[in-house]
Amino acid sequence: MPAETTAFELPAAVLARLGSTRPKPADSGFLRGALHSRRLVLLKSLLTRAERHAPETCRRRLLLHWRLLARAEAAHPAAARTTLGYPAVGNWLLHTLDVPDGPPFDKSLAGLGAAAAAAALGAGTGFRLTLPTDEGRLVLPGIGAFDARAANVRIVAGPGSVCLTPEGRRAAIRLPRPAVLAAPLQGWRGLRPLPGGAGVLDDLDPYWSGRHLSHGRALPRSPVRSAAAARPWLARWRAALALLSSADPPRAAEVASLVDSVVPIAGDGPGVVSGTLRAAPWAVLTTLPASSRTMAEVLVHEVQHSKLAVISDAVPLLLPGGDAEHTVAWRADPRPLPAVLQGTYAHLALADLWRRLAGRRGATPGSRKAALARCAAYAEQVSAPLRTLMESGQLTAEGKVFVAGMKCYLESLSGVSPDDSYPHPLS
């Protein structure tokens, strides 16, 4: 079975650096490790519940899928971790843990088979497996979907290809391996990679349905089934990444390495709407931004939300209780303290982003002035909520270290020349 679950610790120095919002390559490894630990805990909870409440046929099938996942991890640990950390797997876990015992729970357990198959494909492991579809479609998280128009699909993965055979038919589709992210082929649609990044453009996850952003807005997906529909999304991503690279290479590297998926959602207004779900960090849900700068803002903003979601699941930053709500500059309605922390952290990163855009080589005097004004505006938005956090009496010992890192970096933003140093709250 996958590695045993152990308590995950974030050293104080790492926690302080993470509080600053400044990207460090080693810290991304800590975050990935923390998320993996969390996923293993949730999987163990799921298996324990299944052992107690699922019928024997479901338990046997679950054991088969678990063994495939273990084989994938033994063959290629990094590939298995990548699949378990994928946002859609987090969505599936949340959905399955939330559904009541009985047929809904038993049906949802089959999602482990899709995750195990995806992990095995990524690891290069050969296998034979029959998986149920959801209304005729089989989704392999992070890879693609097969419109089988059948209740089950037989998967045979060999060293050079993957064959998918719908139940009741002899004809199979054959996908090249390892290049499973292929162009549309006889009902198969692979997810499109994000240029220069580690993630994909993902409109296939069936578990986004019914989810809501923090302000209550539903998440209608915006399908990108054709190359033409995907083109503006990929172009906006590419341009935003180029802009970040020119202004702040460490930030660009963080976005490229941590964003596992961009999830297009439909919008009904002129402004961009974006969000992150705590169950699915490293997914950026967004309507299509109008410009590369807006897209860069969205990516930086949502990556901070993902980072804080992972950190908060690894170490408690706030004490339980504390029902008071607080006024913040970026929202009209009062916010509970966890939301204050989330917003303050994201807006601190945006202040830093605009300071670095102001110092970008080739910036005109006008664009530099406008960028510095944006930096000052975000910094001002952060200042009062940061005091609220520090004076709340609700911070844990880890939370005090984290928020001290935020405070020190906010103070450093008043300097003229942006750099990666900041006063260390532990010194």
Side-chain angles (χ1 to χ4, degrees):
M1 68 175 53
E4 292 298 318
T5 56
T6 56
F8 191 90
E9 295 184 0
L10 285 172
V14 174
L15 203 54
R17 285 202 309 268
L18 287 168
S20 79
T21 80
R22 285 304 303 156
K24 300 290 182 182
D27 293 346
S28 294
F30 277 106
L31 292 168
R32 290 287 189 184
L35 179 61
H36 184 64
S37 178
R38 173 69 174 170
R39 289 284 160 86
L40 289 180
V41 168
L42 294 178
L43 277 172
K44 294 294 180 64
S45 298
L46 190 66
L47 291 175
T48 299
R49 182 179 166 193
E51 288 171 1
R52 294 173 179 171
H53 300 290
E56 184 179 354
T57 53
C58 286
R59 295 199 305 271
R60 286 201 304 264
R61 182 183 63 190
L62 200 65
L63 181 59
L64 179 68
H65 298 163
W66 189 255
R67 285 173 175 168
L68 178 58
L69 186 59
R71 285 178 53 210
E73 186 185 54
H76 198 317
R81 284 192 171 209
T82 295
T83 298
L84 284 182
Y86 190 70
V89 174
N91 264 337
W92 162 72
L93 270 170
L94 175 66
H95 171 82
T96 307
L97 289 167
D98 278 351
V99 297
D101 292 333
F105 179 66
D106 302 341
K107 178 182 178 182
S108 192
L109 285 174
L112 181 62
L121 289 173
T125 305
F127 66 94
R128 295 170 180 263
L129 189 66
T130 298
L131 293 175
T133 65
D134 184 5
E135 298 183 352
R137 187 175 72 164
L138 174 65
V139 178
L140 299 178
I143 296 179
F146 179 39
D147 288 319
R149 300 181 183 179
N152 296 286
V153 174
R154 180 70 171 168
I155 307 176
V156 179
S161 65
V162 180
C163 291
L164 304 176
T165 307
E167 184 179 49
R169 302 182 210 169
R170 292 185 178 180
I173 68 165
R174 186 181 298 271
L175 301 173
R177 191 174 181 180
V180 180
L181 295 178
L185 176 67
Q186 302 176 34
W188 171 259
R189 180 157 72 88
L191 293 173
R192 293 173 173 85
L194 296 170
V200 291
L201 186 66
D202 190 350
D203 65 328
L204 296 176
D205 180 2
Y207 296 105
W208 288 120
S209 300
R211 301 283 187 262
H212 292 75
L213 299 178
S214 60
H215 46 70
R217 182 183 176 119
L219 298 174
R221 286 180 295 174
S222 180
V224 286
R225 295 188 179 91
S226 67
R231 195 171 295 123
W233 289 92
L234 300 180
R236 202 74 83 243
W237 162 273
R238 187 185 293 108
L241 206 58
L243 179 64
L244 289 172
S245 296
S246 68
D248 189 354
R251 187 77 71 186
E254 178 181 68
V255 167
S257 65
L258 288 183
V259 173
D260 285 340
S261 62
V262 170
V263 180
I265 59 175
D268 53 9
V272 66
V273 175
S274 66
T276 298
L277 298 184
R278 183 165 179 169
W282 317 134
V284 175
L285 289 74
T286 183
T287 55
L288 182 64
S291 68
S292 59
R293 290 202 172 202
T294 305
M295 181 65 159
E297 269 204 319
V298 166
L299 293 172
V300 170
H301 184 106
E302 301 305 336
V303 164
Q304 306 317 302
H305 284 322
S306 283
K307 287 162 65 176
L308 191 50
V310 172
I311 294 166
S312 299
D313 280 338
V315 294
L317 301 179
L318 297 171
L319 297 169
D323 298 327
E325 295 190 332
H326 309 271
T327 301
V328 293
W330 57 85
R331 289 282 295 264
D333 53 327
R335 307 298 290 152
L337 203 63
V340 174
L341 178 60
Q342 282 278 358
T344 305
Y345 190 58
H347 285 77
L348 176 61
L350 292 179
D352 179 60
L353 169 66
W354 282 101
R355 186 179 67 146
R356 289 165 193 275
L357 286 172
R360 188 166 62 105
R361 181 176 297 177
T364 65
S367 65
R368 176 179 171 82
K369 181 179 179 181
L372 287 173
R374 293 289 295 274
C375 170
Y378 279 124
E380 184 177 358
Q381 288 181 359
V382 167
S383 182
L386 197 52
R387 286 195 301 273
T388 296
L389 288 165
M390 299 186 74
E391 297 169 2
S392 67
Q394 291 297 117
L395 295 175
T396 64
E398 295 88 352
K400 290 175 182 177
V401 171
F402 186 80
V403 171
M406 295 170 64
K407 178 178 181 293
C408 287
Y409 199 70
L410 177 63
E411 291 170 352
S412 79
L413 286 177
S414 61
V416 176
S417 299
D419 57 44
D420 285 341
S421 64
Y422 63 100
H424 203 293
L426 301 181
S427 58

